[in-house]
PDB file of all heavy atoms in Angstrom:
ATOM      1  N   SER A 374     -20.549 -10.347  -3.267  1.00 91.00           N
ATOM      2  CA  SER A 374     -21.570 -10.586  -2.255  1.00 91.00           C
ATOM      3  C   SER A 374     -22.414  -9.319  -2.128  1.00 91.00           C
ATOM      4  O   SER A 374     -22.143  -8.296  -2.771  1.00 91.00           O
ATOM      5  CB  SER A 374     -20.933 -10.932  -0.909  1.00 91.00           C
ATOM      6  OG  SER A 374     -20.380  -9.762  -0.313  1.00 91.00           O
ATOM      7  N   ALA A 375     -23.411  -9.367  -1.271  1.00 88.00           N
ATOM      8  CA  ALA A 375     -24.293  -8.220  -1.058  1.00 88.00           C
ATOM      9  C   ALA A 375     -23.762  -7.285   0.018  1.00 88.00           C
ATOM     10  O   ALA A 375     -24.518  -6.462   0.544  1.00 88.00           O
ATOM     11  CB  ALA A 375     -25.693  -8.704  -0.688  1.00 88.00           C
ATOM     12  N   ASP A 376     -22.482  -7.366   0.353  1.00 91.00           N
ATOM     13  CA  ASP A 376     -21.856  -6.426   1.277  1.00 91.00           C
ATOM     14  C   ASP A 376     -22.158  -5.003   0.794  1.00 91.00           C
ATOM     15  O   ASP A 376     -21.761  -4.616  -0.311  1.00 91.00           O
ATOM     16  CB  ASP A 376     -20.346  -6.694   1.280  1.00 91.00           C
ATOM     17  CG  ASP A 376     -19.532  -5.698   2.090  1.00 91.00           C
ATOM     18  OD1 ASP A 376     -20.050  -4.626   2.434  1.00 91.00           O
ATOM     19  OD2 ASP A 376     -18.363  -6.000   2.373  1.00 91.00           O
ATOM     20  N   PRO A 377     -22.861  -4.183   1.590  1.00 91.00           N
ATOM     21  CA  PRO A 377     -23.274  -2.861   1.102  1.00 91.00           C
ATOM     22  C   PRO A 377     -22.111  -1.905   0.862  1.00 91.00           C
ATOM     23  O   PRO A 377     -22.243  -0.976   0.060  1.00 91.00           O
ATOM     24  CB  PRO A 377     -24.208  -2.338   2.201  1.00 91.00           C
ATOM     25  CG  PRO A 377     -23.883  -3.148   3.408  1.00 91.00           C
ATOM     26  CD  PRO A 377     -23.422  -4.482   2.921  1.00 91.00           C
ATOM     27  N   LEU A 378     -20.988  -2.107   1.523  1.00 92.00           N
ATOM     28  CA  LEU A 378     -19.818  -1.279   1.227  1.00 92.00           C
ATOM     29  C   LEU A 378     -19.226  -1.677  -0.118  1.00 92.00           C
ATOM     30  O   LEU A 378     -18.896  -0.819  -0.946  1.00 92.00           O
ATOM     31  CB  LEU A 378     -18.768  -1.423   2.333  1.00 92.00           C
ATOM     32  CG  LEU A 378     -17.482  -0.628   2.120  1.00 92.00           C
ATOM     33  CD1 LEU A 378     -17.751   0.867   2.071  1.00 92.00           C
ATOM     34  CD2 LEU A 378     -16.457  -0.940   3.214  1.00 92.00           C
ATOM     35  N   LEU A 379     -19.107  -2.957  -0.367  1.00 92.00           N
ATOM     36  CA  LEU A 379     -18.605  -3.441  -1.646  1.00 92.00           C
ATOM     37  C   LEU A 379     -19.507  -2.995  -2.790  1.00 92.00           C
ATOM     38  O   LEU A 379     -19.027  -2.560  -3.847  1.00 92.00           O
ATOM     39  CB  LEU A 379     -18.490  -4.970  -1.627  1.00 92.00           C
ATOM     40  CG  LEU A 379     -18.112  -5.652  -2.938  1.00 92.00           C
ATOM     41  CD1 LEU A 379     -16.766  -5.175  -3.456  1.00 92.00           C
ATOM     42  CD2 LEU A 379     -18.108  -7.174  -2.765  1.00 92.00           C
ATOM     43  N   GLN A 380     -20.812  -3.081  -2.594  1.00 90.00           N
ATOM     44  CA  GLN A 380     -21.746  -2.698  -3.647  1.00 90.00           C
ATOM     45  C   GLN A 380     -21.531  -1.241  -4.067  1.00 90.00           C
ATOM     46  O   GLN A 380     -21.584  -0.904  -5.245  1.00 90.00           O
ATOM     47  CB  GLN A 380     -23.183  -2.910  -3.170  1.00 90.00           C
ATOM     48  CG  GLN A 380     -23.566  -4.362  -2.937  1.00 90.00           C
ATOM     49  CD  GLN A 380     -23.744  -5.127  -4.236  1.00 90.00           C
ATOM     50  OE1 GLN A 380     -24.410  -4.654  -5.153  1.00 90.00           O
ATOM     51  NE2 GLN A 380     -23.165  -6.311  -4.321  1.00 90.00           N
ATOM     52  N   GLY A 381     -21.271  -0.365  -3.100  1.00 89.00           N
ATOM     53  CA  GLY A 381     -21.012   1.032  -3.432  1.00 89.00           C
ATOM     54  C   GLY A 381     -19.676   1.231  -4.119  1.00 89.00           C
ATOM     55  O   GLY A 381     -19.541   2.082  -5.005  1.00 89.00           O
ATOM     56  N   ARG A 382     -18.680   0.457  -3.735  1.00 92.00           N
ATOM     57  CA  ARG A 382     -17.363   0.576  -4.362  1.00 92.00           C
ATOM     58  C   ARG A 382     -17.404   0.185  -5.833  1.00 92.00           C
ATOM     59  O   ARG A 382     -16.640   0.717  -6.643  1.00 92.00           O
ATOM     60  CB  ARG A 382     -16.342  -0.301  -3.630  1.00 92.00           C
ATOM     61  CG  ARG A 382     -15.983   0.163  -2.228  1.00 92.00           C
ATOM     62  CD  ARG A 382     -14.963  -0.769  -1.587  1.00 92.00           C
ATOM     63  NE  ARG A 382     -13.629  -0.582  -2.148  1.00 92.00           N
ATOM     64  CZ  ARG A 382     -12.648  -1.484  -2.061  1.00 92.00           C
ATOM     65  NH1 ARG A 382     -12.862  -2.642  -1.451  1.00 92.00           N
ATOM     66  NH2 ARG A 382     -11.467  -1.246  -2.578  1.00 92.00           N
ATOM     67  N   LEU A 383     -18.288  -0.724  -6.185  1.00 87.00           N
ATOM     68  CA  LEU A 383     -18.383  -1.159  -7.578  1.00 87.00           C
ATOM     69  C   LEU A 383     -18.736   0.009  -8.494  1.00 87.00           C
ATOM     70  O   LEU A 383     -18.313   0.062  -9.649  1.00 87.00           O
ATOM     71  CB  LEU A 383     -19.420  -2.268  -7.721  1.00 87.00           C
ATOM     72  CG  LEU A 383     -19.126  -3.559  -6.943  1.00 87.00           C
ATOM     73  CD1 LEU A 383     -20.247  -4.564  -7.144  1.00 87.00           C
ATOM     74  CD2 LEU A 383     -17.788  -4.150  -7.353  1.00 87.00           C
ATOM     75  N   PHE A 384     -19.500   0.964  -7.987  1.00 86.00           N
ATOM     76  CA  PHE A 384     -19.815   2.160  -8.769  1.00 86.00           C
ATOM     77  C   PHE A 384     -18.721   3.217  -8.618  1.00 86.00           C
ATOM     78  O   PHE A 384     -18.263   3.804  -9.595  1.00 86.00           O
ATOM     79  CB  PHE A 384     -21.157   2.747  -8.317  1.00 86.00           C
ATOM     80  CG  PHE A 384     -21.396   4.137  -8.840  1.00 86.00           C
ATOM     81  CD1 PHE A 384     -21.786   4.339 -10.148  1.00 86.00           C
ATOM     82  CD2 PHE A 384     -21.197   5.245  -8.025  1.00 86.00           C
ATOM     83  CE1 PHE A 384     -21.983   5.625 -10.641  1.00 86.00           C
ATOM     84  CE2 PHE A 384     -21.397   6.534  -8.498  1.00 86.00           C
ATOM     85  CZ  PHE A 384     -21.798   6.723  -9.816  1.00 86.00           C
ATOM     86  N   SER A 385     -18.287   3.456  -7.392  1.00 87.00           N
ATOM     87  CA  SER A 385     -17.424   4.590  -7.103  1.00 87.00           C
ATOM     88  C   SER A 385     -16.104   4.532  -7.859  1.00 87.00           C
ATOM     89  O   SER A 385     -15.661   5.537  -8.427  1.00 87.00           O
ATOM     90  CB  SER A 385     -17.158   4.649  -5.594  1.00 87.00           C
ATOM     91  OG  SER A 385     -16.246   5.676  -5.286  1.00 87.00           O
ATOM     92  N   TYR A 386     -15.474   3.374  -7.881  1.00 88.00           N
ATOM     93  CA  TYR A 386     -14.148   3.285  -8.497  1.00 88.00           C
ATOM     94  C   TYR A 386     -14.205   3.522  -9.998  1.00 88.00           C
ATOM     95  O   TYR A 386     -13.329   4.167 -10.571  1.00 88.00           O
ATOM     96  CB  TYR A 386     -13.507   1.926  -8.201  1.00 88.00           C
ATOM     97  CG  TYR A 386     -12.880   1.832  -6.829  1.00 88.00           C
ATOM     98  CD1 TYR A 386     -13.644   1.908  -5.679  1.00 88.00           C
ATOM     99  CD2 TYR A 386     -11.514   1.665  -6.687  1.00 88.00           C
ATOM    100  CE1 TYR A 386     -13.074   1.816  -4.417  1.00 88.00           C
ATOM    101  CE2 TYR A 386     -10.921   1.574  -5.435  1.00 88.00           C
ATOM    102  CZ  TYR A 386     -11.716   1.656  -4.299  1.00 88.00           C
ATOM    103  OH  TYR A 386     -11.133   1.568  -3.060  1.00 88.00           O
ATOM    104  N   LEU A 387     -15.230   3.005 -10.652  1.00 86.00           N
ATOM    105  CA  LEU A 387     -15.358   3.234 -12.090  1.00 86.00           C
ATOM    106  C   LEU A 387     -15.638   4.700 -12.364  1.00 86.00           C
ATOM    107  O   LEU A 387     -15.063   5.308 -13.263  1.00 86.00           O
ATOM    108  CB  LEU A 387     -16.474   2.353 -12.665  1.00 86.00           C
ATOM    109  CG  LEU A 387     -16.735   2.509 -14.168  1.00 86.00           C
ATOM    110  CD1 LEU A 387     -15.506   2.114 -14.970  1.00 86.00           C
ATOM    111  CD2 LEU A 387     -17.931   1.658 -14.589  1.00 86.00           C
ATOM    112  N   ASP A 388     -16.494   5.300 -11.558  1.00 85.00           N
ATOM    113  CA  ASP A 388     -16.880   6.690 -11.761  1.00 85.00           C
ATOM    114  C   ASP A 388     -15.695   7.630 -11.593  1.00 85.00           C
ATOM    115  O   ASP A 388     -15.528   8.583 -12.353  1.00 85.00           O
ATOM    116  CB  ASP A 388     -17.983   7.048 -10.760  1.00 85.00           C
ATOM    117  CG  ASP A 388     -18.452   8.479 -10.910  1.00 85.00           C
ATOM    118  OD1 ASP A 388     -18.999   8.822 -11.972  1.00 85.00           O
ATOM    119  OD2 ASP A 388     -18.260   9.263  -9.959  1.00 85.00           O
ATOM    120  N   THR A 389     -14.835   7.362 -10.617  1.00 87.00           N
ATOM    121  CA  THR A 389     -13.742   8.295 -10.330  1.00 87.00           C
ATOM    122  C   THR A 389     -12.681   8.298 -11.425  1.00 87.00           C
ATOM    123  O   THR A 389     -11.959   9.287 -11.586  1.00 87.00           O
ATOM    124  CB  THR A 389     -13.101   7.968  -8.964  1.00 87.00           C
ATOM    125  OG1 THR A 389     -12.324   9.089  -8.525  1.00 87.00           O
ATOM    126  CG2 THR A 389     -12.191   6.748  -9.041  1.00 87.00           C
ATOM    127  N   GLN A 390     -12.570   7.224 -12.199  1.00 88.00           N
ATOM    128  CA  GLN A 390     -11.525   7.191 -13.233  1.00 88.00           C
ATOM    129  C   GLN A 390     -11.771   8.233 -14.320  1.00 88.00           C
ATOM    130  O   GLN A 390     -10.831   8.793 -14.882  1.00 88.00           O
ATOM    131  CB  GLN A 390     -11.420   5.790 -13.852  1.00 88.00           C
ATOM    132  CG  GLN A 390     -11.225   4.666 -12.857  1.00 88.00           C
ATOM    133  CD  GLN A 390     -10.093   4.882 -11.864  1.00 88.00           C
ATOM    134  OE1 GLN A 390      -9.153   5.628 -12.120  1.00 88.00           O
ATOM    135  NE2 GLN A 390     -10.188   4.229 -10.713  1.00 88.00           N
ATOM    136  N   LYS A 391     -13.031   8.498 -14.625  1.00 85.00           N
ATOM    137  CA  LYS A 391     -13.337   9.530 -15.628  1.00 85.00           C
ATOM    138  C   LYS A 391     -12.872  10.892 -15.136  1.00 85.00           C
ATOM    139  O   LYS A 391     -12.330  11.701 -15.897  1.00 85.00           O
ATOM    140  CB  LYS A 391     -14.849   9.542 -15.905  1.00 85.00           C
ATOM    141  CG  LYS A 391     -15.320  10.694 -16.790  1.00 85.00           C
ATOM    142  CD  LYS A 391     -14.697  10.627 -18.181  1.00 85.00           C
ATOM    143  CE  LYS A 391     -15.270  11.705 -19.096  1.00 85.00           C
ATOM    144  NZ  LYS A 391     -14.864  13.060 -18.702  1.00 85.00           N
ATOM    145  N   SER A 392     -13.064  11.159 -13.858  1.00 86.00           N
ATOM    146  CA  SER A 392     -12.628  12.443 -13.304  1.00 86.00           C
ATOM    147  C   SER A 392     -11.111  12.549 -13.295  1.00 86.00           C
ATOM    148  O   SER A 392     -10.542  13.572 -13.669  1.00 86.00           O
ATOM    149  CB  SER A 392     -13.178  12.599 -11.879  1.00 86.00           C
ATOM    150  OG  SER A 392     -12.641  13.733 -11.248  1.00 86.00           O
ATOM    151  N   ARG A 393     -10.439  11.466 -12.872  1.00 91.00           N
ATOM    152  CA  ARG A 393      -8.982  11.511 -12.744  1.00 91.00           C
ATOM    153  C   ARG A 393      -8.282  11.475 -14.088  1.00 91.00           C
ATOM    154  O   ARG A 393      -7.340  12.229 -14.332  1.00 91.00           O
ATOM    155  CB  ARG A 393      -8.482  10.333 -11.902  1.00 91.00           C
ATOM    156  CG  ARG A 393      -8.761  10.417 -10.428  1.00 91.00           C
ATOM    157  CD  ARG A 393      -7.941   9.375  -9.673  1.00 91.00           C
ATOM    158  NE  ARG A 393      -6.522   9.602  -9.874  1.00 91.00           N
ATOM    159  CZ  ARG A 393      -5.731   8.807 -10.591  1.00 91.00           C
ATOM    160  NH1 ARG A 393      -6.199   7.716 -11.167  1.00 91.00           N
ATOM    161  NH2 ARG A 393      -4.457   9.082 -10.724  1.00 91.00           N
ATOM    162  N   LEU A 394      -8.703  10.581 -14.952  1.00 92.00           N
ATOM    163  CA  LEU A 394      -7.962  10.314 -16.182  1.00 92.00           C
ATOM    164  C   LEU A 394      -8.589  10.971 -17.407  1.00 92.00           C
ATOM    165  O   LEU A 394      -8.051  10.870 -18.505  1.00 92.00           O
ATOM    166  CB  LEU A 394      -7.823   8.807 -16.383  1.00 92.00           C
ATOM    167  CG  LEU A 394      -7.082   8.103 -15.231  1.00 92.00           C
ATOM    168  CD1 LEU A 394      -7.099   6.598 -15.409  1.00 92.00           C
ATOM    169  CD2 LEU A 394      -5.651   8.604 -15.111  1.00 92.00           C
ATOM    170  N   GLY A 395      -9.730  11.637 -17.237  1.00 90.00           N
ATOM    171  CA  GLY A 395     -10.266  12.512 -18.265  1.00 90.00           C
ATOM    172  C   GLY A 395     -11.029  11.851 -19.382  1.00 90.00           C
ATOM    173  O   GLY A 395     -11.504  12.524 -20.289  1.00 90.00           O
ATOM    174  N   THR A 396     -11.161  10.529 -19.347  1.00 89.00           N
ATOM    175  CA  THR A 396     -11.785   9.848 -20.482  1.00 89.00           C
ATOM    176  C   THR A 396     -12.304   8.486 -20.070  1.00 89.00           C
ATOM    177  O   THR A 396     -11.754   7.847 -19.163  1.00 89.00           O
ATOM    178  CB  THR A 396     -10.773   9.665 -21.634  1.00 89.00           C
ATOM    179  OG1 THR A 396     -11.351   8.828 -22.652  1.00 89.00           O
ATOM    180  CG2 THR A 396      -9.479   9.027 -21.154  1.00 89.00           C
ATOM    181  N   THR A 397     -13.354   8.052 -20.725  1.00 88.00           N
ATOM    182  CA  THR A 397     -13.835   6.689 -20.506  1.00 88.00           C
ATOM    183  C   THR A 397     -12.891   5.662 -21.105  1.00 88.00           C
ATOM    184  O   THR A 397     -13.045   4.460 -20.867  1.00 88.00           O
ATOM    185  CB  THR A 397     -15.230   6.500 -21.128  1.00 88.00           C
ATOM    186  OG1 THR A 397     -15.163   6.818 -22.523  1.00 88.00           O
ATOM    187  CG2 THR A 397     -16.249   7.395 -20.451  1.00 88.00           C
ATOM    188  N   ASN A 398     -11.912   6.130 -21.877  1.00 89.00           N
ATOM    189  CA  ASN A 398     -10.956   5.213 -22.503  1.00 89.00           C
ATOM    190  C   ASN A 398      -9.709   4.988 -21.655  1.00 89.00           C
ATOM    191  O   ASN A 398      -8.652   4.609 -22.169  1.00 89.00           O
ATOM    192  CB  ASN A 398     -10.551   5.753 -23.884  1.00 89.00           C
ATOM    193  CG  ASN A 398     -11.688   5.668 -24.879  1.00 89.00           C
ATOM    194  OD1 ASN A 398     -12.373   4.650 -24.959  1.00 89.00           O
ATOM    195  ND2 ASN A 398     -11.905   6.742 -25.627  1.00 89.00           N
TER     196      ASN A 398
END
Side-chain angles (χ1 to χ4, degrees):
S374 74
D376 174 345
L378 179 62
L379 174 60
Q380 294 287 313
R382 291 180 74 200
L383 298 179
F384 167 77
S385 176
Y386 280 65
L387 179 62
D388 180 64
T389 197
Q390 306 309 336
K391 172 62 175 69
S392 172
R393 287 193 61 250
L394 300 174
T396 172
T397 57
N398 290 315

